Amino acid sequence: MSHFGSGTEYGLHCLILLAQAPGAIISSRDLAELQGVSVYFLAKIFPRLEKAGIVTASEGIRGGYTLARPADEITVLDVVEAIEGRKPLFECQEIRGRCAVFGGQPPAWATAGVCGIHAVMIRAERILHDELARTTLSGLADGVGRKAPPGFETDVQAWLADRFESRAQAQIAAVKKPRPRRQNET
Amino acid sequence: MSHFGSGTEYGLHCLILLAQAPGAIISSRDLAELQGVSVYFLAKIFPRLEKAGIVTASEGIRGGYTLARPADEITVLDVVEAIEGRKPLFECQEIRGRCAVFGGQPPAWATAGVCGIHAVMIRAERILHDELARTTLSGLADGVGRKAPPGFETDVQAWLADRFESRAQAQIAAVKKPRPRRQNET
DNA sequence: TATAACACAGAGTATATTGCTCTGCGTTAT
DNA sequence: ATAACGCAGAGCAATATACTCTGTGTTATA
């Protein structure tokens, strides 16, 4: 297993798509089906991004998500912390005060300040966070844009727009087929 | 929960003690009881440190562990990787190739090279590792030495030496009390 | 040579997390 | 009225964490 879960991966991919379509409202279902990941799982991730102020939600049919602020103001660290939660690199249990030679009453010098091991971990964690905060969603989106041929991004937007538009037609189709619910292919 | 488990914390504390007593053989039981942590749990951690070449084990009564190389040649990263295993920061599942507009056959450009998100994570991971590799066991031990009053380290060594010496006497004591096994206080 | 403590291997256990599935509720555009 | 939406939360199998305990073989000492 890795330190960051797949939720973070899915979330970042979705947010890049939102960054490429500024202002567009895209549902978690469409984002999931576009990328071939679980609709249900993605639907659990987005509320966290909303609570963190990264996306804004709109309800009802034709509802969905949009970036809450410009893509260059959302860092990878913001997304990781929103989805994974703020779990620290290291949780100091203050072993130093338990030393048997203290006999249960550790002297002041033993528990003063930050434990040496903990200090190393705090430093490493800050460096990791700084690095993750260096890349923004617009930076990631630019990277994708540079690799893809000119037509690709348009195709993706067309795919999403088609889904969005078909919300109205779904109602008409429902007259013929009672339950036209899509199945997920995961 | 934190990214690094308590095994890493216990391990580092034990290795600092071994670094402070170069050449001494200390059993996992003594290390555990000196620090008030689980004897059994520590006994599961040390074989990993041995497999990683950080400590060497000696068997039998009066057996135990010593550092396998000088304390300034063992980094915090070495210890973390030995105990936690080499789990990556991020495990790329190649979401980019699953895009629905590709219809199951992603073009070469889409899957060429490293995924942009993965690239950010690889960079962050290397920076984290570099930072953890910057501190050695001797560096940590020096930090403890600077904080503690002059007599402390001697007291600890005396506590451990006393345990080590008493291995022989334990057999004499066993004649009077049939089962003089120590209980752990965790 | 019996013994006690050791390293080491591995089974077992309680609890938590991960990744995912599914149901139900209130909201919204048609 | 309907269908799809966000959102909250229950459930669930698989895995991980932090221990706990047992058993095997090794070694120094009385």
Side-chain angles (χ1 to χ4, degrees):
Chain A
M1 238 208 23
S2 52
H3 284 108
F4 295 159
S6 46
T8 296
E9 184 171 11
Y10 298 167
L12 281 168
H13 278 284
C14 290
L15 291 172
I16 289 173
L17 285 166
L18 287 174
Q20 287 170 334
I25 290 172
I26 312 181
S27 70
S28 61
R29 156 166 269 123
D30 286 355
L31 285 167
E33 293 184 357
L34 174 62
Q35 301 182 101
V37 303
S38 160
V39 175
Y40 294 126
F41 189 52
L42 210 58
K44 288 210 88 163
I45 289 167
F46 265 94
R48 296 187 206 177
L49 292 170
E50 208 222 337
K51 281 181 190 67
I54 292 170
V55 297
T56 51
S58 39
E59 293 202 330
I61 185 172
R62 298 211 167 173
Y65 296 96
T66 327
L67 294 188
R69 51 178 194 267
D72 61 354
E73 290 173 22
I74 300 169
T75 70
V76 172
L77 178 64
D78 293 333
V79 179
V80 168
E81 290 197 329
I83 296 175
E84 303 277 330
R86 292 211 176 177
K87 67 171 161 179
L89 194 61
F90 184 81
E91 217 146 14
C92 187
Q93 293 174 63
E94 293 296 336
I95 303 288
R96 53 188 184 154
R98 295 198 219 163
C99 185
V101 302
F102 298 147
Q105 268 82 42
W109 65 261
T111 51
V114 177
C115 166
I117 294 169
H118 195 188
V120 173
M121 298 301 185
I122 287 171
R123 209 156 55 228
E125 185 177 51
R126 189 160 59 237
I127 283 172
L128 172 66
H129 283 185
D130 286 352
E131 179 60 28
L132 291 177
R134 196 154 287 143
T135 310
T136 64
L137 284 188
S138 62
L140 283 174
D142 286 353
V144 176
R146 259 194 298 279
K147 276 187 70 175
F152 175 64
E153 216 169 297
T154 324
D155 287 352
V156 172
Q157 300 308 324
W159 190 95
L160 288 166
D162 180 59
R163 281 294 178 104
F164 187 77
E165 299 299 331
S166 68
R167 301 291 181 233
Q169 293 160 22
Q171 204 176 149
I172 302 167
V175 178
K176 298 162 191 168
K177 296 190 289 174
R179 289 206 89 207
R181 291 186 79 163
R182 286 186 294 275
Q183 294 289 70
N184 62 320
E185 57 273 53
T186 314
Chain B
M1 239 207 22
S2 52
H3 284 108
F4 296 159
S6 46
T8 297
E9 184 171 11
Y10 299 168
L12 281 168
H13 278 284
C14 290
L15 291 172
I16 289 173
L17 285 165
L18 287 174
Q20 287 170 334
I25 289 171
I26 312 181
S27 70
S28 61
R29 155 165 268 123
D30 286 355
L31 286 167
E33 294 185 356
L34 174 62
Q35 301 181 101
V37 303
S38 160
V39 176
Y40 293 127
F41 189 52
L42 212 57
K44 287 210 90 162
I45 290 168
F46 266 93
R48 296 187 207 177
L49 292 171
E50 208 222 338
K51 282 181 189 68
I54 292 170
V55 297
T56 51
S58 37
E59 293 202 328
I61 184 173
R62 298 208 166 177
Y65 296 96
T66 326
L67 293 187
R69 52 178 194 267
D72 61 354
E73 290 174 24
I74 300 169
T75 70
V76 173
L77 178 65
D78 292 333
V79 179
V80 168
E81 290 196 330
I83 297 176
E84 303 276 330
R86 291 209 178 179
K87 66 171 162 179
L89 194 61
F90 184 82
E91 218 147 14
C92 188
Q93 294 173 63
E94 293 295 336
I95 303 289
R96 52 187 185 154
R98 296 199 220 161
C99 185
V101 302
F102 298 148
Q105 267 84 40
W109 64 262
T111 52
V114 178
C115 165
I117 294 170
H118 196 189
V120 172
M121 298 301 184
I122 288 171
R123 209 156 54 228
E125 186 177 51
R126 188 160 62 236
I127 283 172
L128 172 65
H129 283 186
D130 286 352
E131 179 60 28
L132 291 177
R134 195 154 287 143
T135 309
T136 64
L137 284 188
S138 62
L140 283 174
D142 287 351
V144 176
R146 258 193 299 280
K147 275 187 71 175
F152 175 66
E153 217 168 295
T154 325
D155 287 353
V156 172
Q157 299 308 323
W159 191 96
L160 288 166
D162 181 60
R163 279 293 179 105
F164 188 76
E165 298 300 330
S166 68
R167 300 290 182 237
Q169 293 158 23
Q171 205 173 147
I172 303 169
V175 178
K176 298 163 193 169
K177 295 188 290 174
R179 290 207 87 207
R181 291 186 81 163
R182 286 186 292 278
Q183 293 289 72
N184 63 321
E185 56 274 48
T186 314

